[in-house]
Amino acid sequence: MTFTGQSLIAGQPVAGAGKTTNGFNPATNEPLEPAYTLLTEDQLKTATAAAKEAFPSFSSLDPEAHASFLEAIADNIEAIGDELITRAGQETGLPAARLQGERARTTGQLRLFAGVVRQGDFRGVRIDPALPDRSPLPRADIRQRQIPLGPVAVFGASNFPLAFSTAGGDTASALAAGCPVVFKAHNAHPGTSELVGHAVTKAVRDAGLHPGVFSLIYGPGASIGQALVADPAIKAVGFTGSQAAGIALMKTAAARPEPIPVYAEMSSLNPVFVFQGALEGSAEDIDALAQQYVASVTGSSGQLCTSPSLLFAPAGEAGDKLATAVGRAIAACPGQTMLTEGIASSWNAGTEALGSADGVALIGQGTPGPTRNAPAPTIFGTGVDQFVSNHVLHEEIFGAASLVIRYNSTADLLQAAARIEGQLTASLQLTEADYPAAAPLIPVLEQKVGRILVNGWPTGVEVGHAMVHGGPFPATSDSRTTSVGTLAIKRFLRPVAYQNLPQELLPEALQDANPWHLNRRIDGEVVPAAEKAEAVGATKHY
């Protein structure tokens, strides 16, 4: 494809009237062509107005047409072929294998949401049939369903140019909910975004949908992003990025005449708690544990939201052996090219601050990579008292760096866990003998994280029905939600009740005939779609 360097607004290329920006090859810091023109705030309104116009028809799409549309996006992304992997690699420095896996995750979650749309439980149909003879008062016929919120603003993430980008999880779940999307491309990978943007636009056109269902915009990150969130046509926001940027969007959304929800996934340290039993095996077992930890820290140059930045290990001989093994493992790791020069610079500043903190010592360090912006991965060590008392040790370093914290007792772990802010994950490495020590930690962690793992590592997030990729602030802006998995669709829905509406005026999802073949909760009991419509009348009497 010939890159245009332009936004895609309601299916049409639009040259920005503002400045221009280029993607950069982070291995060399050289700019990539073409330059992308940036929209002004006035031009942005064309995209949000088109999304508002598209909402009535898109939000009421029948399930089969809706699901087929999502599948067509996936098909179109795959049809781009190697050009997508090549461009994404040029703009991010990520290896082809990682990007191929990310493309598969992107198309897989689109198809997963297509299945959710066909199955239909997300519509949350509840029917309380009328009880005209109930004493002492009759009951009206009351029916409820979940409806889409309206147009959604989605921001591309720096570290996932596909899976959390143009057609990634936030876009897929918003479209699945029936919400048009105005997507703000991350300026670090504009070409990748354009390729996928054309794939989505083609699916919109081929399905005969209103073109405002999807727009791809380029603009100055701060100003155009704030203007997008402030636009009255936008009814919700999906964001993955830094804590500072996420909080800035939250403030803008809250200050609107009509406040809207911002679902922001921001920072996380993802602590790992190693118990004594996990270190009582052979030297080879301890080496394997150290290598698994280091692999989780250094994968994708540590630029994963679930990278383990903290590892708690017991004091004493067994913990000493683990720390030594970690030092050996990290020493064998070369640096990998980071996503941007700015991210590499922030990593350098963060590790310098951490290494200079009182009571922190270097456990081990790898070697710098062969390209620019590929610093040597580093692991530090400290004690639990220093960790509890020094806030610097709690600050996220985005990249391949981690801190090993030595503890003396379960009480130490409980104190440290209580001190930790909200996180995406917490992991426990243990054996059955450690269950009594681990048990009191579980309820503490439930209040701190969205996902608890045993004998696993937090990187490698499964996209499915039970996954939670969220957590208390500052991991996310809303601990009740997830940005990964089918439950992510709930972020962009709200309930509406319909009282005493005649069948002719009810939406299809609530009609007695059940033309969309949905599972429904009738008078409090789940009635499968396969059962006859007469089930609506089979009510309890009080």
Side-chain angles (χ1 to χ4, degrees), residues 81 101 129 156 185 188 194-195 209-210 298 348 354 390 422 430 444-445 479 500:
E194 184 181 357
L195 286 169
L209 304 179
H210 189 294
T298 59
N348 285 321
L354 180 58
N390 189 347
L430 46 69
V444 178
L445 295 179
S479 62
N500 283 342

Side-chain angles (χ1 to χ4, degrees), residues 74-108:
D75 293 342
N76 292 346
I77 291 171
E78 290 172 346
I80 300 170
D82 291 342
E83 183 181 11
L84 180 61
I85 304 301
T86 299
R87 182 68 182 199
Q90 291 170 343
E91 292 183 330
T92 65
L94 295 170
R98 151 68 198 270
L99 292 168
Q100 289 162 353
E102 194 178 325
R103 176 176 59 188
R105 174 173 166 175
T106 304
T107 57

Side-chain angles (χ1 to χ4, degrees), residues 41-428:
E41 293 183 19
D42 284 341
Q43 289 180 301
L44 172 66
K45 294 176 183 177
T46 306
T48 57
K52 182 178 179 179
E53 291 175 4
F55 178 63
S57 58
F58 185 58
S59 63
S60 58
L61 205 60
D62 73 85
E64 183 55 38
H66 195 166
S68 297
F69 163 61
L70 297 174
E71 291 168 336
I73 298 174
D75 293 342
N76 292 346
I77 291 171
E78 290 172 346
I80 300 170
D82 291 342
E83 183 181 11
L84 180 61
I85 304 301
T86 299
R87 182 68 182 199
Q90 291 170 343
E91 292 183 330
T92 65
L94 295 170
R98 151 68 198 270
L99 292 168
Q100 289 162 353
E102 194 178 325
R103 176 176 59 188
R105 174 173 166 175
T106 304
T107 57
Q109 61 196 5
L110 283 161
R111 294 185 175 114
L112 181 66
F113 277 113
V116 168
V117 169
R118 284 196 179 93
Q119 195 269 342
D121 278 0
F122 77 98
R123 300 181 191 276
V125 174
R126 295 168 177 249
I127 299 176
D128 291 341
L131 297 175
D133 300 326
R134 189 181 67 174
S135 179
L137 294 173
R139 182 177 77 184
D141 181 280
I142 304 173
R143 305 179 183 221
Q144 181 192 120
R145 67 168 178 151
Q146 298 282 332
I147 69 166
L149 290 178
V152 173
V154 174
F155 290 77
S158 65
N159 58 336
F160 280 89
L162 297 172
F164 273 92
S165 189
T166 315
D170 286 342
T171 297
S173 54
L175 291 176
C179 298
V181 168
V182 179
F183 177 78
K184 164 64 177 69
H186 197 286
N187 287 344
H189 35 79
T192 305
S193 297
E194 184 181 357
L195 286 169
V196 179
H198 281 287
V200 181
T201 298
K202 182 178 187 302
V204 171
R205 182 175 61 249
D206 291 349
L209 304 179
H210 189 294
V213 164
F214 177 80
S215 290
L216 163 69
I217 64 169
Y218 299 94
S223 61
I224 209 72
Q226 293 291 339
L228 179 58
V229 173
D231 192 292
I234 297 299
K235 301 303 180 183
V237 178
F239 171 84
T240 298
S242 72
Q243 185 175 336
I247 290 175
L249 296 180
M250 291 165 59
K251 290 180 177 178
T252 298
R256 289 171 35 141
E258 176 202 8
I260 59 172
V262 174
Y263 300 110
E265 190 239 288
M266 297 177 286
S267 59
S268 187
L269 301 176
N270 308 299
V272 178
F273 300 88
V274 179
F275 288 83
Q276 188 69 35
L279 301 177
E280 292 181 350
S282 66
E284 289 77 12
D285 292 334
I286 293 177
D287 279 341
L289 186 66
Q291 289 166 8
Q292 292 164 11
Y293 164 53
V294 168
S296 192
V297 169
T298 59
S300 294
S301 196
Q303 300 165 121
L304 299 173
C305 42
T306 51
S307 179
S309 299
L310 304 174
L311 183 140
F312 292 86
E317 183 180 358
D320 291 343
K321 290 179 179 178
L322 177 62
T324 299
V326 167
R328 286 196 302 268
I330 196 70
C333 294
Q336 303 170 47
T337 301
M338 301 192 77
L339 293 162
T340 68
E341 182 180 18
I343 289 174
S345 178
S346 294
W347 183 92
N348 285 321
T351 54
E352 182 177 350
L354 180 58
S356 300
D358 290 342
V360 173
L362 182 68
I363 285 181
Q365 188 172 44
T367 56
T371 67
R372 301 180 67 170
N373 305 320
T378 306
I379 294 181
F380 299 96
T382 193
V384 71
D385 290 341
Q386 288 82 2
F387 176 77
V388 169
S389 62
N390 189 347
H391 182 71
V392 172
L393 277 56
H394 295 245
E395 294 181 2
E396 182 186 38
I397 300 173
F398 188 61
S402 191
L403 178 66
V404 175
I405 303 143
R406 307 296 293 276
Y407 69 91
N408 295 296
S409 65
T410 300
D412 282 347
L413 289 185
L414 294 174
Q415 182 187 24
R419 177 72 174 78
I420 292 172
E421 293 182 320
Q423 309 291 331
L424 295 172
T425 74
S427 306
L428 285 67

